[in-house]
Amino acid sequence: MAKRNVVIVPMWLTLVDVSTGTSVPIDGSSNHPSLFQIASDVLHSHATYPTMYLEDDRGMRTVKVKTRGATDIEIFLEGGDTMQRSNLVDIQIMKQTGTLDENTLALQPFYGQIRGRSKQNRALLLLQKTGTRSITSTFLKALTIYIRDHYQGYKIEHGIALPQNVVDQIVKEGGLLEVKLIKYGAEDNVVDVVNNQSLTNSIKRTTLTLTVADGSAGKFWKQPAARYLSGHGNVSLNNLYKVNFAYDDIRLVFKDEDGAKRTINVKSPDALRWTEVITDRVKFLNGRFDEYDLQREFDSLANKLL
């Protein structure tokens, strides 16, 4: 059987104190919980049987967790989708060997790591993606729900993690064209003005966008963007730019190597869809990728990003 393509999906995780809008140390403090302890609790809560997220028919189960340090966790997960009624065929003898129905959850293995440095405000999450199959969205959903239910007053933020050379290519060579600071839901007085001008009360919510073009941006805009994308320094989305505008989201408009415009939604972990392809560097034995090869490649990428 042909070996499927396997890649590492990297992203940053930040635990945010909702009352202040600031990120907290990943290993906790006297006033704040540890992101690593929360992640460990989430993983152990999924260890007995798969937890289902019925809105998208996906499930996740923790096979094992290895703690290698206060800010270093190896995770072994299984995840997948519920099936439509299907036949199982042994391709060596081309004979049907069974069936699956809508109550069957097809689980496949995924390796991952959560890494960080003490007192920093970001942790690095690395998860395996095999072919088109990924567990990233399911794991983030599990983490978000657990924090909502057990740690009121906190929320998780996640964003893309890129090696410095990729950031340099985008910000320095490609060029930052625009920064868009976006506020979802205008203030009441803004809505009132728009309603009065249009002589209608149909507008209930709107979106305000503050756009800064490259001509007036300069280093003030480029350096924070580069710092955020590379993960260097304790920078959260909410205080990336010190402006008198309570923005909810940031979009960065770049010119790529071909001269085309590319817009990055900073809050989306898949905004650039950057992954590290490791297919040719890991062995595929007995239908699974070798655990030690995966560990080596994940460690190597983590060391580059941290």
Side-chain angles (χ1 to χ4, degrees):
M1 187 173 78
K3 184 166 79 169
R4 291 193 180 99
N5 193 46
V6 59
V7 302
I8 305 174
V9 181
M11 65 184 63
W12 297 109
L13 295 179
T14 306
L15 186 64
V16 176
D17 182 335
V18 175
S19 64
T20 62
T22 58
S23 53
V24 304
I26 57 175
D27 44 355
S29 68
S30 58
N31 300 319
H32 301 291
S34 161
L35 175 57
F36 279 83
Q37 185 59 55
I38 292 173
S40 180
D41 291 345
V42 171
L43 291 163
H44 284 103
S45 72
H46 287 69
T48 306
Y49 51 84
T51 298
M52 292 298 301
Y53 297 94
L54 296 179
E55 62 271 26
D56 52 8
D57 291 325
R58 295 185 63 81
M60 184 182 84
R61 183 172 77 89
T62 303
V63 178
K64 60 181 174 179
V65 179
K66 288 185 179 180
T67 301
R68 303 191 296 185
T71 57
D72 188 341
I73 301 176
E74 272 190 299
I75 56 181
F76 300 81
L77 304 172
E78 288 182 339
D81 310 300
T82 52
M83 307 294 292
Q84 61 180 345
R85 189 167 183 82
S86 309
N87 295 324
L88 296 176
V89 175
D90 186 324
I91 60 174
Q92 289 189 321
I93 60 175
M94 296 308 293
K95 181 178 180 181
Q96 183 173 332
T97 57
T99 59
L100 299 175
D101 60 25
E102 65 276 8
N103 295 316
T104 302
L105 180 64
L107 296 175
Q108 71 177 65
F110 294 95
Y111 175 78
Q113 293 182 5
I114 306 176
R115 303 276 299 274
R117 298 193 186 280
S118 180
K119 307 308 177 186
Q120 291 293 303
N121 289 19
R122 282 184 174 187
L124 180 64
L125 172 66
L126 303 169
L127 289 172
Q128 175 186 347
K129 180 180 179 181
T130 305
T132 60
R133 299 291 182 179
S134 170
I135 202 167
T136 302
S137 60
T138 307
F139 177 80
L140 290 174
K141 183 174 293 186
L143 188 60
T144 300
I145 291 173
Y146 192 90
I147 292 174
R148 182 198 66 193
D149 293 345
H150 296 85
Y151 291 90
Q152 293 184 1
Y154 294 91
K155 66 177 182 177
I156 197 74
E157 284 188 355
H158 50 84
I160 54 180
L162 300 172
Q164 189 60 48
N165 66 307
V166 177
V167 175
D168 290 344
Q169 178 183 336
I170 294 173
V171 177
K172 294 179 181 177
E173 297 175 20
L176 178 61
L177 300 177
E178 295 177 348
V179 176
K180 296 184 177 183
L181 306 181
I182 301 171
K183 174 69 176 177
Y184 299 113
E187 302 296 332
D188 290 341
N189 62 328
V190 175
V191 175
D192 289 342
V193 170
V194 175
N195 282 336
N196 290 335
Q197 289 179 343
S198 58
L199 302 177
T200 175
N201 291 318
S202 61
I203 299 176
K204 302 300 180 184
R205 285 179 64 86
T206 189
T207 299
L208 297 181
T209 302
L210 174 64
T211 301
V212 180
D214 183 51
S216 59
K219 291 183 178 180
F220 175 78
W221 298 97
K222 289 189 178 184
Q223 290 178 350
R227 193 164 67 252
Y228 186 88
L229 290 173
S230 62
H232 295 309
N234 297 329
V235 185
S236 73
L237 178 71
N238 297 100
N239 61 17
L240 182 59
Y241 292 113
K242 304 292 186 182
V243 293
N244 188 23
F245 182 66
Y247 56 86
D248 299 313
D249 204 352
I250 300 174
R251 292 182 186 172
L252 306 174
V253 182
F254 294 98
K255 182 172 63 176
D256 67 17
E257 341 177 88
D258 299 323
K261 276 190 178 182
R262 296 184 66 188
T263 300
I264 301 173
N265 181 342
V266 176
K267 292 186 72 172
S268 170
D270 297 322
L272 282 182
R273 302 193 181 280
W274 183 86
T275 56
E276 175 83 356
V277 180
I278 58 172
T279 308
D280 296 332
R281 304 198 294 269
V282 293
K283 294 187 291 292
F284 191 64
L285 303 171
N286 300 319
R288 295 202 173 198
F289 289 96
D290 183 74
E291 177 181 316
Y292 296 103
D293 286 350
L294 289 172
Q295 180 190 71
R296 182 192 65 243
E297 295 301 322
F298 274 65
D299 283 343
S300 176
L301 179 59
N303 291 335
K304 292 177 184 176
L305 292 170
L306 288 173

